[in-house]
Amino acid sequence: MIEEAPASFRRSVTDRTHPPVGDRFVLGRRASLLVSAGVVSHTLWTSAAPALTYGLYAREWHLTHTVTAGIFAIYPIGVVVMLVGFGGISDQIGRRATMLAGLFASLVGALLFAVAPDVWWVFAARALMGIGVGLAASPSSAAILEFSSPESAKHSASVTMGAQAAGFAAALLLGGALTEYGPWPTRLCFWVLSLFLIVLLIGTWLLPRHTPGGAGGDWRSRMPSVPKHVRRTFAVSSTAMVAAYTFGVLVLSLGGQVEHDLIGSPNAFLNSAVLSLFPIVMAAIGIIARPLSPRMALMVGALVSCLGMVLLIVAVNFRDLVIYLLATAAAGGAYSLLFVGGLQVMSMAAPEGNRGGIFSALYLFGYLSMGALALVLGAIATTRGLGFAVDLGAAAIILMNVATLVFATTPPTKSSQKYLKF
């Protein structure tokens, strides 16, 4: 099991989470934790928001699979650019300021989606969402850890994953319902997302001001970095994150089109309900598997992921919606185990002053793999067919899970044994 956080860490968390006294109203620790979780949830909501509209865009504007995959891929590319350029910025200027900048970029992106007259507006909107998530993802994860109570600090990874699941499910279920039954199928879901982001902006504005890095006000580029003594631990976590995040390509980029074109389901709400099994199972497994050690979570997650990809291949080739449902559920459970296992390890190993940069580096690997795989599979779907692209993507994810198994079963070095309680 993971070690309990040391006393010095618990004291520093407790000290930071008391609201400062002054003229400006600030939220308490629990409310700040809730807002930080909301910011995490927006990262998956913005990612999944257009999942059911890709097919509508393709039919309305006569787009190829390459173009629709490009719309998806510009998002993780935007995330990666921000993580490379400003991955450690929250350690310098504080979590609150970085999250505010990220939420504002996401809000502008959502509004552009809501009024987009052509595909170029959609590309711009998607890029802005990527910029927003690139700024907000790591500081919101770090803020959850820092606003957690001393007794539950080691469960912050589960809180982060649960927030992701909530945002993911809201995007799919609300998006599917509004797309199928709402008056503006490609716009209304983005107006709803915009309202949610405005609420988050207000909540984030009321967070306590603190700058963990101690060098506040420096907006210069801060690339993500990983201290040498935690790189072995980082390798375990990042491999698991890559395996988990690449699910997003098959679920978000191609999922709706797979259900419509290959499985034969024309109802957007039904398709979104099937896809929503991913975050629902993700959240449920995150709660059930909480007692598991990081090693066991990573091993089971990799094996379940391989099973899910095999089921996906079978579902697409036999055009079976029930098997596709099982594949989606298995992928959700695998994501939960891989993400929580990897993040638990990294949460305990990351030094306080470098936490934002380390989490940024972790997300950098995940989003970079997602964007690259989306572009490759989109081009293959256009030239060789959607079914072949899905089969190839599933095979690639299986290989990533093999790598995760290798790392998880390799004995840790002496320097990383304190974090990897295998």
Side-chain angles (χ1 to χ4, degrees), residues 34 40 62 264 299 337 379:
L34 181 62
V40 168
H62 309 290
M299 291 175 63
L337 292 166

PDB file of all heavy atoms in Angstrom, residues 34 40 62 264 299 337 379:
ATOM      1  N   LEU A  34     -13.659  21.403  -3.751  1.00  0.00           N
ATOM      2  CA  LEU A  34     -14.765  21.183  -4.689  1.00  0.00           C
ATOM      3  C   LEU A  34     -14.551  21.976  -5.982  1.00  0.00           C
ATOM      4  O   LEU A  34     -14.754  21.445  -7.084  1.00  0.00           O
ATOM      5  CB  LEU A  34     -16.082  21.588  -4.032  1.00  0.00           C
ATOM      6  CG  LEU A  34     -17.353  21.399  -4.870  1.00  0.00           C
ATOM      7  CD1 LEU A  34     -17.548  19.920  -5.211  1.00  0.00           C
ATOM      8  CD2 LEU A  34     -18.573  21.931  -4.131  1.00  0.00           C
ATOM      9  N   VAL A  40     -10.907  20.216 -12.709  1.00  0.00           N
ATOM     10  CA  VAL A  40     -10.484  18.937 -13.291  1.00  0.00           C
ATOM     11  C   VAL A  40     -11.585  18.367 -14.179  1.00  0.00           C
ATOM     12  O   VAL A  40     -11.320  17.870 -15.282  1.00  0.00           O
ATOM     13  CB  VAL A  40     -10.113  17.935 -12.176  1.00  0.00           C
ATOM     14  CG1 VAL A  40      -9.960  16.525 -12.745  1.00  0.00           C
ATOM     15  CG2 VAL A  40      -8.824  18.351 -11.492  1.00  0.00           C
ATOM     16  N   HIS A  62     -19.425  18.132 -45.276  1.00  0.00           N
ATOM     17  CA  HIS A  62     -18.818  17.139 -46.177  1.00  0.00           C
ATOM     18  C   HIS A  62     -17.335  16.933 -45.848  1.00  0.00           C
ATOM     19  O   HIS A  62     -16.459  17.074 -46.701  1.00  0.00           O
ATOM     20  CB  HIS A  62     -18.986  17.574 -47.643  1.00  0.00           C
ATOM     21  CG  HIS A  62     -20.393  17.925 -48.018  1.00  0.00           C
ATOM     22  ND1 HIS A  62     -21.395  16.976 -48.117  1.00  0.00           N
ATOM     23  CD2 HIS A  62     -20.974  19.121 -48.293  1.00  0.00           C
ATOM     24  CE1 HIS A  62     -22.530  17.571 -48.446  1.00  0.00           C
ATOM     25  NE2 HIS A  62     -22.302  18.876 -48.548  1.00  0.00           N
ATOM     26  N   GLY A 264     -24.265   0.676 -36.570  1.00  0.00           N
ATOM     27  CA  GLY A 264     -25.585   0.912 -37.156  1.00  0.00           C
ATOM     28  C   GLY A 264     -26.580   1.534 -36.220  1.00  0.00           C
ATOM     29  O   GLY A 264     -27.795   1.339 -36.369  1.00  0.00           O
ATOM     30  N   MET A 299      -1.417  -3.465 -12.922  1.00  0.00           N
ATOM     31  CA  MET A 299      -1.428  -4.784 -13.574  1.00  0.00           C
ATOM     32  C   MET A 299      -2.836  -5.175 -14.004  1.00  0.00           C
ATOM     33  O   MET A 299      -3.063  -5.585 -15.148  1.00  0.00           O
ATOM     34  CB  MET A 299      -0.835  -5.832 -12.628  1.00  0.00           C
ATOM     35  CG  MET A 299       0.649  -5.674 -12.379  1.00  0.00           C
ATOM     36  SD  MET A 299       1.283  -6.840 -11.138  1.00  0.00           S
ATOM     37  CE  MET A 299       0.969  -8.396 -11.963  1.00  0.00           C
ATOM     38  N   LEU A 337      -8.255   2.231 -13.338  1.00  0.00           N
ATOM     39  CA  LEU A 337      -7.165   1.542 -12.648  1.00  0.00           C
ATOM     40  C   LEU A 337      -5.804   2.090 -13.069  1.00  0.00           C
ATOM     41  O   LEU A 337      -4.926   2.317 -12.225  1.00  0.00           O
ATOM     42  CB  LEU A 337      -7.243   0.048 -12.935  1.00  0.00           C
ATOM     43  CG  LEU A 337      -8.456  -0.674 -12.331  1.00  0.00           C
ATOM     44  CD1 LEU A 337      -8.621  -2.053 -12.963  1.00  0.00           C
ATOM     45  CD2 LEU A 337      -8.303  -0.801 -10.817  1.00  0.00           C
ATOM     46  N   ALA A 379      -6.158   9.486 -40.658  1.00  0.00           N
ATOM     47  CA  ALA A 379      -5.661   9.312 -42.026  1.00  0.00           C
ATOM     48  C   ALA A 379      -5.904   7.894 -42.519  1.00  0.00           C
ATOM     49  O   ALA A 379      -6.292   7.674 -43.683  1.00  0.00           O
ATOM     50  CB  ALA A 379      -4.167   9.645 -42.074  1.00  0.00           C
TER      51      ALA A 379
END
